[in-house]
Amino acid sequence: MQLGSVRSEEAAQREWDRIKRANSDLLGSVSATPIRADVGEKGVFYRIQTGPITDADRICGELKRRNIGCIIAR
């Protein structure tokens, strides 16, 4: 799952910590890794990605209901 994209690795870690704290019932045992993505003229972003997660569709759906951006990154 991808839970966001920010401009720095540190910001990605802070955002993951915030999301995980607020949604510990869904993400309690999950870890995330900032993935560097160079998108050309737009610059470099760090994607907040977790997984693999067995029940990713259900968890992502629940996060969306909680207004947390979530996509399934395959």
Side-chain angles (χ1 to χ4, degrees):
M1 294 186 312
Q2 182 172 312
L3 302 173
S5 183
V6 294
R7 290 291 190 162
S8 74
E9 194 169 355
E10 295 80 17
Q13 188 60 53
R14 284 192 307 271
E15 183 65 2
W16 166 245
D17 291 342
R18 184 190 70 77
I19 291 169
K20 186 171 180 177
R21 250 191 332 273
N23 300 281
S24 61
D25 59 320
L26 296 173
L27 302 171
S29 64
V30 177
S31 62
T33 303
I35 305 296
R36 187 180 189 277
D38 187 338
V39 291
E41 290 183 13
K42 292 183 180 181
V44 173
F45 289 83
Y46 290 83
R47 297 173 177 159
I48 305 164
Q49 293 187 347
T50 66
I53 299 175
T54 304
D55 205 8
D57 288 322
R58 181 189 67 78
I59 293 171
C60 200
E62 181 58 34
L63 289 170
K64 287 178 182 179
R65 282 188 281 286
R66 297 178 185 188
N67 294 318
I68 304 293
C70 181
I71 60 172
I72 303 298
R74 304 205 188 271

